[in-house]
């Protein structure tokens, strides 16, 4: 009788890694569709481009490693990494930004450590942070929601802007960021963070056109869509509740304390929960079975650590969101968390 040793990810359900990864991708499509609805065709183009490049990079590095190609491509892990990175990249970022990020995620952050199950960090978030630090201008050039955009951007215009930097009518990406009232738009988190440093109160800032009912226009619905996708994964037992609960619970607690202490200089808990990449990070990124904690208590601590770091970075750090940095910093702590939260062996005194 053969005894096979396999690396993570491990699942208690009788589902293959390929099936689990495919389910995560399918559950993310509601969020992708919502993001496309509010931010245009560039979202879909980036996701398709990133996913295609990820599969190609996976095939290339597997071939160079002299490993069988079919098992690696069938597990859908490379495709999932590409989709998550494509969601995170601004819709009209240059094509080479996406290609560099995907290549770094697959070849460096994944296969340099030995492939799926051996990587210490979430590959998509490693690539995102590398791109954000290396190309901050391109990685922070988000378009205003379609309803606030002064210039409608068609599919061909989006494709042209991604490939050449200009639409078919000659508009640059910078010009496309101008809203209907002639103001160059930034993301809600960036707008809030920048405006607070100039002496404005939270109430004054949230009255701006980029903000909606509970968070930013479009962003609140994108987060709701990823929340629905995450709940579906919980129902299907694709992920467990501990990490999302720990992350969202800690973020809610810290933002509530901050809001109670200084309401004029702090956003509400709901704003934090439904802004930026909060729900995407909680359900689709932090729950990565390879780089996350593996014990029950450890998952709660791991998620809570991410939530705490997201709040601290958003409030005191130099970046408006901080989900990617928080996940990577928490990934570093996983061996220590697992060591101190491992369950007692049955029968051990």
């Amino acid at each position: 009788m053969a005894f096979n040793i396999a690396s993570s990810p491990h699942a208690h359900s009788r589902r293959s890694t390929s099936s689990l990864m495919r389910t995560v991708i399918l559950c993310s499509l509601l969020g992708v569709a919502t993001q496309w609805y509010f931010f245009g065709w560039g979202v879909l183009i980036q996701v398709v481009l990133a996913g295609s490049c990820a599969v190609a990079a996976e095939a290339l590095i597997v071939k160079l490693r002299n490993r069988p190609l079919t098992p690696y491509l069938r597990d859908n892990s490379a495709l999932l990494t590409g989709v998550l990175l494509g969601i995170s990249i601004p819709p009209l970022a240059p094509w080479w930004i996406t290609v560099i990020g995907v290549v770094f995620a697959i070849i460096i952050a994944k296969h340099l450590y030995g492939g799926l199950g051996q990587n210490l960090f979430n590959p998509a978030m490693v690539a995102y942070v590398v791109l954000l630090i290396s190309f901050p201008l391109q990685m922070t050039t988000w378009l205003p929601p379609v309803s606030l955009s002064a210039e409608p951007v068609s599919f061909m215009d989006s494709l042209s802007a991604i490939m050449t930097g200009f639409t078919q009518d000659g508009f640059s990406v910078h010009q496309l960021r101008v809203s209907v009232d002639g103001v160059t738009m930034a993301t809600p988190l960036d707008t809030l963070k920048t405006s607070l440093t100039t002496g404005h109160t939270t109430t004054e800032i949230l009255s701006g056109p980029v903000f909606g009912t509970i968070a930013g226009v479009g962003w609140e619905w994108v987060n709701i869509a990823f929340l629905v996708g995450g709940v579906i994964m919980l129902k299907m037992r694709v992920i467990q509740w501990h990490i999302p609960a720990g992350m969202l619970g800690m973020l809610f607690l810290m933002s509530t304390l901050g809001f109670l202490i200084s309401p004029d200089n702090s956003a509400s808990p709901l704003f934090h929960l439904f802004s930026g990449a909060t729900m995407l990070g909680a359900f689709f990124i932090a729950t990565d079975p390879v780089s996350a904690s593996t014990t029950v208590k450890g998952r709660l601590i791991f998620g809570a650590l991410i939530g705490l770091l997201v709040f601290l970075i958003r409030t005191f750090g130099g970046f408006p969101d901080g989900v990617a940095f928080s996940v990577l910093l928490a990934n570093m702590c996983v061996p220590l968390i697992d060591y101190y939260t491992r369950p007692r062996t049955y029968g051990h005194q």
Side-chain angles (χ1 to χ4, degrees):
M1 182 173 61
F3 181 73
N4 296 321
I5 299 177
S7 63
S8 56
H10 302 297
H12 294 288
S13 61
R14 296 177 177 271
R15 303 180 66 176
S16 64
T17 299
S18 174
S19 174
L20 291 172
M21 297 291 179
R22 183 170 59 249
T23 303
V24 174
I25 294 172
L26 292 175
C27 289
S28 72
L29 293 183
L30 179 60
V32 173
T34 307
Q35 199 165 314
W36 159 75
Y37 177 81
F38 283 100
F39 298 99
W41 288 101
V43 174
L44 298 184
I45 296 173
Q46 295 289 4
V47 169
V48 172
L49 176 61
S52 302
C53 290
V55 174
E58 180 92 344
L60 174 63
I61 192 64
V62 168
K63 204 68 177 176
L64 292 176
R65 293 180 61 193
N66 294 319
R67 300 294 179 89
L69 191 62
T70 303
Y72 281 86
L73 295 184
R74 280 183 176 175
D75 66 19
N76 292 317
S77 62
L79 180 60
L80 176 59
T81 297
V83 169
L84 293 177
L85 185 59
I87 294 171
S88 306
I89 290 177
L92 297 188
W95 64 270
W96 48 268
I97 288 283
T98 305
V99 173
I100 291 174
V102 168
V103 169
F104 195 94
I106 299 298
I107 296 179
I108 304 298
K110 181 182 177 182
H111 280 278
L112 187 65
Y113 288 94
L116 180 65
Q118 309 299 326
N119 50 287
L120 302 178
F121 304 99
N122 185 287
M125 292 300 96
V126 171
Y128 179 84
V129 167
V130 168
L131 292 175
L132 186 60
I133 295 174
S134 304
F135 311 102
L137 178 62
Q138 290 83 356
M139 288 298 293
T140 54
T141 308
W142 283 84
L143 295 180
V146 174
S147 59
L148 300 178
S149 179
E151 185 66 30
V153 185
S154 66
F155 173 81
M156 293 306 300
D157 284 332
S158 299
L159 184 61
S160 177
I162 291 171
M163 295 301 173
T164 68
F166 297 91
T167 66
Q168 292 179 312
D169 296 326
F171 290 100
S172 67
V173 176
H174 177 73
Q175 291 172 311
L176 294 175
R177 294 183 66 199
V178 177
S179 66
V180 290
D181 58 1
V183 178
T184 300
M185 304 292 288
T187 63
L189 283 170
D190 196 9
T191 300
L192 177 67
K193 194 175 190 68
T194 303
S195 299
L196 285 174
T197 62
T198 60
H200 293 82
T201 65
T202 303
T203 303
E204 294 172 340
I205 299 168
L206 296 182
S207 63
V210 73
F211 298 98
T213 305
I214 57 177
V217 174
W219 291 102
E220 53 193 8
W221 288 105
V222 170
N223 274 274
I224 290 172
F226 281 119
L227 171 61
V228 173
V231 171
I232 293 173
M233 289 195 296
L234 288 173
K235 283 286 188 180
M236 299 178 66
R237 301 179 63 85
V238 173
I239 61 173
Q240 295 180 316
W241 61 269
H242 309 86
I243 293 176
M247 176 181 168
L248 298 178
M250 179 59 73
L251 181 57
F252 179 83
L253 174 63
M254 295 304 298
S255 56
T256 299
L257 291 175
F259 188 71
L260 292 175
I261 294 171
S262 180
D264 289 337
N265 298 294
S266 302
S268 69
L270 287 178
F271 182 88
H272 278 284
L273 290 177
F274 293 96
S275 293
T278 301
M279 294 299 172
L280 174 66
F283 291 98
F284 293 88
I285 294 174
T287 53
D288 175 19
V290 176
S291 57
S293 181
T294 57
T295 66
V296 174
K297 292 181 180 177
R299 293 190 192 103
L300 287 170
I301 296 172
F302 176 78
L305 178 59
I306 295 174
L308 174 63
L309 290 171
V310 168
F311 175 78
L312 292 176
I313 293 173
R314 287 180 178 180
T315 306
F316 305 107
F319 294 91
D321 198 345
V323 170
F325 289 98
S326 301
V327 170
L328 295 183
L329 290 171
N331 287 157
M332 294 181 186
C333 301
V334 164
L336 186 66
I337 294 173
D338 282 351
Y339 179 80
Y340 283 105
T341 59
R342 57 186 177 183
R344 184 179 293 273
T345 304
Y346 181 75
H348 183 272
Q349 294 183 351

